[in-house]
């Protein structure tokens, strides 16, 4: 396994992982799959703002997962805070890759002078909550019934770590 910065050649695989998460979980509150254009625009914003997109690839250069971060809030007073995200392909989950990606994105954030990392995690997402708690993230609070997907209300847990 290798961690590298994503380029345009990884976007189709990133999109496939995201769209599987969208279709099968409440980890992302989207209901429709991301289009090629939306994925390209997302990547362009990351590139333009200097935000990292790290992919974990295997020996055959297949993308097993990715991590990134972006603005927590666009107002200038929030510029030392980022909101991160990470997703591992279904057949690679539970093998430690999420932890590796979280550590990698944190390390990039430290290098970029980020002070606070925020993860907004659906309350039902036991794996992500467990991962973040064991990596030193604190539950700052839970926003109840702010999301709606699969015909039910969803609660959003705000996790944070001061780097
Ligand atoms: C959440 C996710 C990123 C975790 O990555 P992963 O590679 O599966 O997790 P890891 O194998 O690195 O495990 C990390 C920790 O979570 C725990 N964990 C992993 N899967 C778990 C599960 N299904 N239930 C409970 N705990 C779980 C592990 O025991 C480990 O805890 P530890 O460090 O205390 O031993 C991954 O499962 C995923 O992409 N899920 C779908 C999309 C998603 O939820 N993304 C995150 C959005 S906030």
């Amino acid at each position: 396994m290798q961690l590298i910065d994503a380029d345009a050649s990884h976007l189709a695989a990133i999109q496939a992982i995201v769209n599987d998460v969208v279709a099968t979980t409440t980890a992302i509150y989207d209901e429709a799959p991301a289009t090629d254009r939306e994925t390209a625009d997302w990547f362009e914003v990351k590139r333009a703002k200097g935000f990292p997109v790290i992919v974990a690839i295997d020996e055959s250069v297949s993308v097993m997962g990715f991590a990134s971060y972006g603005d927590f809030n666009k107002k200038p007073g929030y510029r030392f805070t980022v909101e991160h995200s990470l997703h591992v392909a279904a057949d690679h989950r539970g093998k430690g890759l999420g932890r590796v990606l979280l550590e990698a994105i944190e390390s990039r954030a430290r290098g970029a002078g980020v002070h606070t990392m925020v993860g907004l995690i659906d309350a039902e997402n036991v794996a992500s909550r467990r991962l973040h708690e064991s990596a030193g993230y604190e539950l700052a609070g839970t926003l109840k019934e702010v999301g709606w997907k699969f015909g039910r209300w969803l609660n959003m847990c705000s996790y944070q770590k001061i780097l």
Side-chain angles (χ1 to χ4, degrees):
M1 192 276 296
Q2 227 190 320
L3 296 177
I4 59 169
D5 283 311
D7 62 35
S9 73
H10 301 113
L11 289 186
I14 288 174
Q15 186 177 312
I17 292 171
V18 165
N19 284 344
D20 178 60
V21 172
V22 168
T24 60
T25 78
T26 54
I28 300 175
Y29 288 3
D30 287 338
E31 288 180 310
T35 64
D36 295 354
R37 173 52 38 214
E38 285 165 342
T39 304
D41 289 348
W42 168 85
F43 190 60
E44 191 41 48
V45 170
K46 301 289 179 197
R47 244 217 276 252
K49 294 197 162 191
F51 293 137
V53 178
I54 299 171
V55 284
I57 53 171
D58 64 15
E59 314 73 54
S60 55
V61 202
S62 295
V63 176
M64 299 186 285
F66 72 97
S68 185
Y69 64 71
D71 289 319
F72 167 68
N73 186 303
K74 288 194 173 61
K75 292 195 193 306
Y78 292 105
R79 66 189 177 282
F80 297 111
T81 301
V82 296
E83 183 187 336
H84 66 280
S85 61
L86 70 157
H87 301 288
V88 173
D91 48 348
H92 295 291
R93 287 178 199 154
K95 301 174 193 162
L97 192 52
R99 171 165 300 279
V100 170
L101 283 164
L102 183 56
E103 284 170 0
I105 204 72
E106 264 186 39
S107 156
R108 292 293 285 274
R110 273 199 186 85
V114 169
H115 183 64
T116 304
M117 308 269 297
V118 173
L120 300 175
I121 305 175
D122 181 63
E124 296 173 5
N125 193 344
V126 180
S128 188
R129 293 183 64 176
R130 172 82 205 126
L131 168 61
H132 282 81
E133 282 164 9
S134 71
Y137 284 74
E138 256 180 77
L139 179 61
T142 302
L143 290 167
K144 293 185 184 140
E145 301 188 8
V146 290
W148 174 267
K149 187 171 178 180
F150 300 148
R152 64 180 190 276
W153 292 112
L154 300 172
N155 302 326
M156 169 66 72
C157 298
S158 304
Y159 279 89
Q160 73 169 114
K161 182 172 179 176
I162 296 177
L163 299 180

